[in-house]
Amino acid sequence: DAGVTQSPTHLIKTRGQHVTLRCSPISGHKSVSWYQQVLGQGPQFIFQYYEKEERGRGNFPDRFSARQFPNYSSELNVNALLLGDSALYLCASSSFGGNQETQYFGPGTRLLVL
Amino acid sequence: AQTVTQSQPEMSVQEAETVTLSCTYDTSESDYYLFWYKQPPSRQMILVIRQEAYKQQNATENRFSVNFQKAAKSFSLKISDSQLGDAAMYFCAYITSGTYKYIFGTGTRLKVLA
């Protein structure tokens, strides 16, 4: 079975622009979480979605938004990009998003903001 | 605040030797789950091992085992018979009951010397 997939793998944007990152969960998984991993740091939680509803949100500004589609894939949108948004963005999926479940991570999208 | 501390930014081990990576965490919850994830240079995070806080028995997965000390809030990872393929960033993380986000440490870079 295919794992979690993310696109694109790399992205270069300039300050003030908007970006959309995409994630497809493992087949059968209904929950998707997004994390931001700044170089040299551990991942920081951004959002979790389950059955198209936002379940949780981390300490990120309103410039960050996400949605989940009926096929359980997800998009992460970031508006008005700042230099500090440069990071690896990780998507993780699980069956129901419960805390007892293991989350399976995708390879990430590397975003560079110039 | 919920935190995970990995006090060893970098560790080295000779091939076939044993190494222990340290992790301490801080939570007031009694119900939570602990994880060690491996992130090789290709970036995809892979689950190494998980531990349920309510279980006293330490988890083991082949060459990987943990030393879980709940009272001390310590969760170390022991890698036996280290292999070149074990070289990676290792992240300790936990998730508490009623939340949907992993809290990650800053990681330990493990180098395996031939």
Side-chain angles (χ1 to χ4, degrees):
Chain A
D1 285 340
V4 177
T5 59
Q6 294 185 245
S7 62
T9 55
H10 294 83
L11 206 51
I12 299 175
K13 292 287 188 177
T14 57
R15 281 177 296 175
Q17 284 189 314
H18 162 270
V19 68
T20 297
L21 311 181
R22 295 176 176 84
C23 170
S24 292
I26 291 171
S27 178
H29 283 188
K30 298 181 179 180
S31 179
V32 169
S33 297
W34 288 95
Y35 291 81
Q36 180 196 64
Q37 187 179 13
V38 173
L39 195 63
Q41 300 292 320
Q44 297 288 319
F45 174 77
I46 310 175
F47 288 110
Q48 188 188 83
Y49 276 77
Y50 172 68
E51 290 281 13
K52 304 185 291 295
E53 297 291 324
E54 181 184 303
R55 238 187 193 173
R57 184 186 181 115
N59 294 325
F60 281 82
D62 292 343
R63 300 185 295 109
F64 288 77
S65 64
R67 55 179 177 168
Q68 187 177 32
F69 299 99
N71 66 353
Y72 304 110
S73 67
S74 178
E75 283 183 354
L76 175 69
N77 295 284
V78 187
N79 293 323
L81 285 167
L82 303 174
L83 296 180
D85 295 330
S86 295
L88 180 68
Y89 288 85
L90 297 169
C91 173
S93 78
S94 61
S95 296
F96 305 104
N99 56 22
Q100 73 279 15
E101 294 185 296
T102 296
Q103 295 188 16
Y104 296 88
F105 285 83
T109 294
R110 173 74 65 188
L111 173 64
L112 178 61
V113 182
L114 301 176
Chain B
Q2 296 180 319
T3 59
V4 176
T5 301
Q6 294 181 248
S7 58
Q8 306 150 318
E10 190 170 293
M11 295 279 287
S12 295
V13 62
Q14 288 291 139
E15 202 175 0
E17 297 295 309
T18 296
V19 65
T20 298
L21 309 184
S22 301
C23 171
T24 58
Y25 57 94
D26 185 16
T27 177
S28 56
E29 299 290 331
S30 59
D31 183 18
Y32 51 90
Y33 299 82
L34 295 152
F35 304 84
W36 278 98
Y37 276 90
K38 169 185 176 181
Q39 189 176 41
S42 63
R43 301 184 322 222
Q44 187 146 11
M45 297 263 270
I46 304 165
L47 177 69
V48 174
I49 198 166
R50 60 174 275 163
Q51 173 83 40
E52 292 81 0
Y54 63 83
K55 289 187 177 179
Q56 292 187 336
Q57 187 172 6
N58 290 324
T60 300
E61 287 289 343
N62 301 314
R63 298 182 296 108
F64 299 88
S65 61
V66 299
N67 183 2
F68 174 46
Q69 301 290 328
K70 190 171 184 178
K73 295 181 181 177
S74 171
F75 183 60
S76 61
L77 175 69
K78 185 172 82 171
I79 306 174
S80 303
D81 186 25
S82 296
Q83 301 175 358
L84 294 177
D86 294 334
M89 283 291 287
Y90 285 80
F91 291 97
C92 177
Y94 75 88
I95 184 168
T96 61
S97 175
T99 68
Y100 304 103
K101 62 177 180 179
Y102 283 179
I103 305 295
F104 282 89
T106 52
T108 296
R109 181 173 302 281
L110 178 66
K111 295 183 177 180
V112 180
L113 308 174

